[in-house]
Amino acid sequence: MEMRHLKPAPTPEDATGLRVPMRDGVELAADLYRPAHGRPAPTILIRTPYNKAMGAPLWDLPAIARIFVSHGYAVVAQDVRGKFLSGGATEPYKNEIDDGYDTIDWIVQQPWCDGNIGMWGTSYFGFTQLAAVASGHPALKCIVPRMTGTELGFPMENPDGARDVEHAVFRWYFGQVYVVRDMYMFPLDWSKRPLTSIFEPFYEHLGQRSTQMDASFEPEFFDRVIPRERLLANPTPTLFTVGIYDMAAVWSWRDIDAIQAHPAWNGLLHLRIEAIDHEGYSLALAPMDDTKDHRLNPAAREKLEREIVDPTIPFFNKYLRGIGEGVPKVVYHFGADEWRTSETWPPLPSQTLRLHLDGDGPAAAGTLSLEPVKRRVARWRHDPADPVRSIAVTEMAPCGPGVRSIFQEWADLAPVGERDDVLAFASAPLEGDLELAGPVSLTCMLSSTLRSADLFARLLDLAPDGTAGLICRGHVRVPLEPVAEDASDGGLLARGRAVTVPLIHASSRVRAGHRLLLHIFGSDFPEYLFNPGDGSETWLAEHALAGTHGIEIGGLRGAALTITAGGTPAAIRDAFAVKGPAA
C-alpha cells in the first residue's frame, strides 16, 4: 500500500542530544539549543509527539528553536513518551502531567538554565503545556499554547446533554499517529463500514494493531483529558492563540471561558485570535496556490515561522526576564488582514443580538429577523448515504481524515443551501457595516424520527453577487426520544429537545449590502463522522439510518441565532434598518 514512513531525525549539529529521566526510570529524548554567550539562560520547553528534530508539516522545530535562541533563550525540544527516540509506552495524553513536571524539574537543575522556564507549541504540544501547568511545578513561569485545549480531540458532553460530533481526527490519531514510535501516513477509504476497518490494511502491513484505538472505546480512556480544575488551580501567565477557522477552537474556548471566569487568573490571560485553520494557514492567503503554500515555498515557510514566533518574544521577555511591557491583553484578526487590540474579549462596546429564524423548510428560503415570527415547524430529510460534504475534502488523503485547508479554494458555500436537506435563513441586506466580534450560538427545539441526530450550523457572509463565505460554524450530537414522521401538535414539535449549538466565536465585518446567511443541516462528512441514528458507536456501526429532523420556529421556544456585534445599540439598529431598541 502507498505509505509515508516518518522516522526519527538526527539531532541537528547546532544542538546537543539529551536523555531526560522520568520518575519511573523511563528516559525521554530531547535536543538542547543554546545562545552563543554560553551563560545560563531562561529556557523554552517544547514537548511534541511529531519528532523533535522535524516538527509540523508547515514548519520545523529546529528552525523555530533557532529563532528563540537568536533572542537569547535556550530551547529544549523533546519527544514525548513513546514517540520517536523517547522511551516508554506509546499512549497519547496519558502521562503528560507527570512527564511535564519531571522534565521541568530536570531542566531547572541544569547549569545552562537560569531557573525560569516557559513553554511553546501548537495542538498536541499545546496540550502538553496545559498539562505542565496542571502539574503545578513552580519553575514554569509562562506558557504559549496555540490551537489546543485540555480536552483536545475528545468529543465531550455539553451542559444540556448534547455532545460534540466526533471529529474524524480523534480516532484517526490512534489509528495512524499513535500506533508505534514512528509515524506512518497512508490513504484511508472513509466509505468503509465499520470505520474501524479502514486501518486493517495498515495493521496487516505493520504486523500489529493499534492498542490505543482499541483502548479509546473504553470509558476510562476519557479520563486522560487534563482535569480543568487542576489547570485553574495553578494560575500561570498564558498567551493563548485561537484560530477562528480552527477545528480545535471548540476546545480552546472552553478553557478560555473557564480561565476568564476564575478570579485567580485575573490579568494572567492574553489572547491572540487569528483568522487561521489548524495547520496555520490564514484567511489572508485564500484562495491559495503554490506560491502561498508554505510546504512548497521556502520563503513563505520562513515568513510563517517568524509570524508564529515573533509575537511571543515580548511575552517571554516579560515573564521569563522581567523586561519590557509584554503584550496587549487581546490581539485579534478582524477579517482577513486587519489587526486590532483590546483589553477584553469580546471587545467593548459590544451588544448581544438575537435573530429569529423564520421559514418552513428546504423548499422555501427562510429569513433572519429581529422581529418575532409565526410558530411553525421546519423539517428536512436526513440521508446518511448522501451527506452534506465538508468544506474542503479530498476523497483519499495521504494524511489526515481527507480534509484540506478551507483556504486552498475558499469555496462559495451559498449553493449548499440549495440542497433539500439544508435549511437556509438570510437576513435582509444590511444598511450599514456589521462588526461581529465574540460568541455566536444557535438555540432551538430539535426533534427527529431517530434516536440520535447531529445538528450542524454555518454562519456565512452572503455578498450581493450571491456568493457566500464562512464566518463561523458549530455542531452538536443530540440524544432524542424518536417521534413519528408527522408528529406535531399545532405546529409544535412533539417531544422536542432544547439544544444549543455553539458556533464558537466570530471576528469579521459584514459589509453594508451583504446579508447574514445561516445554514442548518444534519451531516458534515468526512470531517465529522456520520451518525448511525440509533445511538450506537459510530466507529463500530455497519449502517446508518435515514430520518426526518425538525426544529421549531417562532414563539418562546423558537429557533434563534445569537450574535455578538461590536458598536453601540444605535449603530447595530442602523445596520439592520430597524426603529427603536434591538430585541
Side-chain angles (χ1 to χ4, degrees), residues 350-353 370 434 565-578 582:
S350 64
Q351 317 294 324
T352 298
L353 202 65
L370 290 170
L434 179 68
T568 65
I572 296 169
R573 291 197 303 270
D574 289 344
F576 281 92
V578 297

Side-chain angles (χ1 to χ4, degrees), residues 372-390:
V373 299
K374 179 182 177 181
R375 301 176 79 181
R376 57 170 68 89
V377 174
R379 291 187 175 87
W380 73 98
R381 185 71 178 169
H382 164 68
D383 183 2
D386 183 24
V388 176
R389 303 295 289 175
S390 298

Side-chain angles (χ1 to χ4, degrees), residues 481-563:
E481 184 179 352
V483 298
E485 189 78 28
D486 59 351
S488 63
D489 179 12
L492 304 180
L493 291 175
R495 295 193 296 275
R497 178 166 182 168
V499 177
T500 297
V501 183
L503 278 73
I504 320 300
H505 289 239
S507 183
S508 180
R509 178 188 287 109
V510 184
R511 296 287 187 181
H514 290 227
R515 294 186 285 170
L516 294 177
L517 175 61
L518 178 68
H519 285 170
I520 298 175
F521 45 97
S523 55
D524 189 348
F525 188 79
E527 185 176 1
Y528 293 92
L529 300 185
F530 70 91
N531 190 336
D534 59 2
S536 62
E537 166 57 54
T538 293
W539 280 85
L540 304 178
E542 299 278 356
H543 307 283
L545 301 175
T548 298
H549 304 331
I551 60 172
E552 191 168 311
I553 302 293
L556 295 176
R557 306 195 313 171
L561 177 72
T562 301
I563 61 176

Side-chain angles (χ1 to χ4, degrees), residues 74-214:
V75 176
V76 174
Q78 182 186 61
D79 289 333
V80 299
R81 180 183 293 250
K83 293 302 297 180
F84 292 97
L85 294 178
S86 285
T90 305
E91 299 173 312
Y93 306 108
K94 190 173 183 179
N95 298 286
E96 305 306 356
I97 293 178
D98 289 346
D99 287 354
Y101 184 99
D102 293 351
T103 299
I104 293 169
D105 205 52
W106 184 85
I107 291 174
V108 79
Q109 299 175 54
Q110 305 311 304
W112 39 263
C113 177
D114 72 356
N116 296 291
I117 297 175
M119 293 184 73
W120 179 93
T122 296
S123 195
Y124 192 98
F125 47 119
F127 178 89
T128 61
Q129 296 178 65
L130 301 175
V133 169
S135 80
H137 199 292
L140 182 58
K141 301 301 173 60
C142 61
I143 61 170
V144 183
R146 303 179 74 253
M147 296 181 286
T148 190
T150 55
E151 301 165 336
L152 180 67
F154 287 80
M156 303 300 291
E157 186 169 320
N158 297 331
D160 61 6
R163 295 179 65 86
D164 299 329
V165 183
E166 184 177 327
H167 197 282
V169 77
F170 179 56
R171 286 194 171 91
W172 163 84
Y173 200 64
F174 314 137
Q176 275 202 334
V177 179
Y178 257 90
V179 182
V180 292
R181 294 188 193 285
D182 294 358
M183 280 176 56
Y184 294 83
M185 297 298 178
F186 52 90
L188 297 171
D189 182 358
W190 290 90
S191 67
K192 287 188 176 181
R193 301 290 180 269
L195 281 175
T196 49
S197 67
I198 67 178
F199 298 106
E200 292 303 328
F202 171 55
Y203 297 156
E204 183 177 349
H205 173 88
L206 199 62
Q208 70 178 78
R209 298 183 59 80
S210 168
T211 60
Q212 298 310 294
M213 170 65 79
D214 296 337

Side-chain angles (χ1 to χ4, degrees), residues 148-149 151-154 164 167 247-255:
T148 190
E151 301 165 336
L152 180 67
F154 287 80
D164 299 329
H167 197 282
M247 59 89 174
V250 61
W251 300 294
S252 298
W253 282 112
R254 283 175 183 164
D255 289 337

